[in-house]
Amino acid sequence: MTSFAAYQNEIYLQGLGGSVPPFTTDPDALEQSARDRLGPGPFWYVAGGAGSGATVRANRSAFDRVQLVPRMLTNATERHLGVSVLGTELPAPVMLAPVGVQSILHPDGELATARAAAELGIPMVLSTASSHTIEEVAEASGDGPRWYQLYWPNDPDVCASLLERAKKAGYTALVVTLDTWTLAWRPHDLDQAYLPFLRGVGTAIPFSDPVFRAGLEKSPEEDLPMAILRWVQLFTGTDKSWEQLAFLREHWDGPIVLKGIQHADDARKAVEFGMDGVVVSNHGGRQVDGAVGSLDVLPSIVEAVGEQVDVLFDSGIRTGADIVKALALGAKAVMVGRPFAYGLAHGGQVGVRHVLRSLLADFDLTLGLSGHRSPAELGPDALRFTP
């Protein structure tokens, strides 16, 4: 049994020798520090939201309206944090959300993230918009658990090829992002005229794909602008339908999870069309301005699908208390995004590992101090709701 809380003692003991953590343990300070380290283009590409940023704010305010109600004398000295999600054993109910173009934050990008996640046994969900190939990130992951996130291309043959590569490289579950078939209006990125893909960054997976390359007159190495134009045509501008999920099921024999679910009826449809899980997510507020906070809709989605599929949560996780709240409202596990990206910006693999260890320690301690010994003990009765 892993005691993630031990990271706290490790930090204090190192302090006796005059050492302090290499990076802050405060998530708000970490974001500000990342802003100081990065140029405005890369920083706002990660931190920014759609439109006015209302949905980014709604995600956090949703957590603020939910309060923990600690219980005493529950024998919570020892805790077991492990859960199983769609055949993947997790040491804690935490996964790394698919974050693209990580090389804009650190040269090692997804490779550093994969190594840090594997060290801790935390699954990494690899974005189709990765700066490194499916195979390179799999090698960096070693024996670590890994899932693959699909931005659904408009060419069926390219899509089938990506899925085949992911299966061959040991990715065990498929996460299909539904809410980003075209980019939202993102003022911070627009003001900088900053879109990494148009510079050939975050395109390593399609550009290395044999079927994608076969559709080009010249390779991306020989004619980058035409490769980028084909990328734009394949990966943006076309919404899909529920009936098209059958194609994915035909080409992927493992669990399929739909990411971007915000309405109970869509969760029910996911069940109807044979999916294995959903991620309650609004893409961290990056796609629809003025949308509902993800935590606000989590209970209705859990109620709609019951135990028929695994419900995961994304959008707004910053602290251990956030994880406890999401689990108490019915999520099987959570995905964390921006915090580990800020850690990557600070120190590559070391920075990601520090952020993850800090978040897991905070979760472990908060779970116990609120009177619970495992995620399974959490439920709505652990919470109080405020207007």
Side-chain angles (χ1 to χ4, degrees), residues 7 15 42 64 75 78 83 105 113 169 198 202 207 212 214 218 240 249 257 267 282 362:
Y7 191 41
D64 291 338
N75 194 29
E78 294 185 359
V83 298
L105 303 173
T113 299
L198 299 186
F207 283 10
F212 179 91
K218 296 181 179 179
K240 304 296 193 296
R249 179 56 75 192
V257 181
N282 56 32
D362 187 10

Side-chain angles (χ1 to χ4, degrees), residues 10-349:
E10 181 180 321
I11 290 173
Y12 283 136
L13 289 173
Q14 288 177 344
L16 296 176
S19 297
V20 298
F23 317 112
T24 179
T25 59
D26 178 337
D28 291 333
L30 185 74
E31 178 176 341
Q32 181 58 51
S33 179
R35 184 175 184 177
D36 294 340
R37 289 169 178 260
L38 296 169
F43 174 76
W44 283 115
Y45 187 81
V46 174
S52 68
T55 308
V56 177
R57 295 190 297 273
N59 283 333
R60 289 303 307 151
S61 64
F63 279 100
D64 291 338
R65 290 192 299 273
V66 179
Q67 298 175 327
L68 299 176
V69 183
R71 302 298 300 271
M72 299 297 113
L73 299 175
T74 59
N75 194 29
T77 308
E78 294 185 359
R79 297 169 296 282
H80 177 73
L81 307 187
V83 298
S84 179
V85 180
L86 299 176
T88 300
E89 298 298 324
L90 283 63
V94 176
M95 309 179 73
L96 295 191
V99 174
V101 290
Q102 292 183 28
S103 64
I104 67 174
L105 303 173
H106 187 277
D108 292 342
E110 291 81 3
L111 304 180
T113 299
R115 294 179 184 120
E119 281 186 84
L120 299 172
I122 300 297
M124 174 187 182
V125 185
L126 176 66
S127 171
T128 297
S130 171
S131 310
H132 298 274
T133 69
I134 291 171
E135 295 78 11
E136 288 169 340
V137 179
E139 183 179 359
S141 292
D143 295 330
R146 51 189 178 269
W147 292 11
Y148 179 66
Q149 177 268 344
L150 180 71
Y151 281 123
W152 197 339
N154 299 323
D155 184 323
D157 292 333
V158 171
C159 184
S161 180
L162 297 181
L163 298 182
E164 178 60 31
R165 289 170 63 194
K167 284 192 294 184
K168 187 175 180 181
Y171 296 80
T172 58
L174 179 67
V175 177
V176 186
T177 295
L178 304 178
D179 58 14
T180 314
W181 52 270
T182 196
L183 289 180
W185 186 257
R186 300 176 182 175
H188 286 294
D189 295 342
L190 290 163
D191 287 353
Q192 300 291 326
Y194 186 80
L195 188 61
F197 309 107
L198 299 186
R199 295 169 169 83
V201 181
T203 55
I205 288 177
F207 283 10
S208 62
D209 189 80
V211 177
F212 179 91
R213 293 171 71 92
L216 300 171
E217 289 188 10
K218 296 181 179 179
S219 71
E221 295 79 17
E222 297 171 305
D223 191 344
L224 181 61
M226 287 305 296
I228 291 171
L229 178 61
R230 177 161 166 75
W231 176 92
V232 171
Q233 293 169 342
L234 286 193
F235 287 91
T236 66
T238 304
D239 197 6
K240 304 296 193 296
S241 69
W242 288 97
E243 287 71 22
Q244 288 175 276
L245 290 171
F247 176 86
L248 300 182
R249 179 56 75 192
E250 178 184 349
H251 291 276
W252 185 269
D253 54 13
I256 301 179
V257 181
L258 300 185
K259 182 174 180 286
I261 300 299
Q262 293 279 274
H263 196 289
D265 287 348
D266 286 346
R268 294 186 187 97
K269 275 194 167 291
V271 175
E272 176 186 341
F273 282 85
M275 300 296 100
D276 303 286
V278 298
V279 184
V280 179
S281 168
N282 56 32
H283 216 93
R286 290 164 58 77
Q287 281 301 98
V288 179
D289 190 26
V292 65
S294 280
L295 196 73
D296 286 332
V297 298
L298 176 59
S300 63
I301 290 172
V302 171
E303 182 180 4
V305 300
E307 299 294 325
Q308 298 174 87
V309 297
D310 280 353
V311 177
L312 308 180
F313 179 85
D314 167 284
S315 299
I317 295 289
R318 296 292 181 271
T319 68
D322 295 340
I323 299 172
V324 173
K325 293 173 185 180
L327 298 179
L329 290 176
K332 194 73 174 288
V334 305
M335 292 183 177
V336 58
R338 287 183 176 100
F340 90 75
Y342 298 144
L344 178 66
H346 280 77
Q349 180 179 347

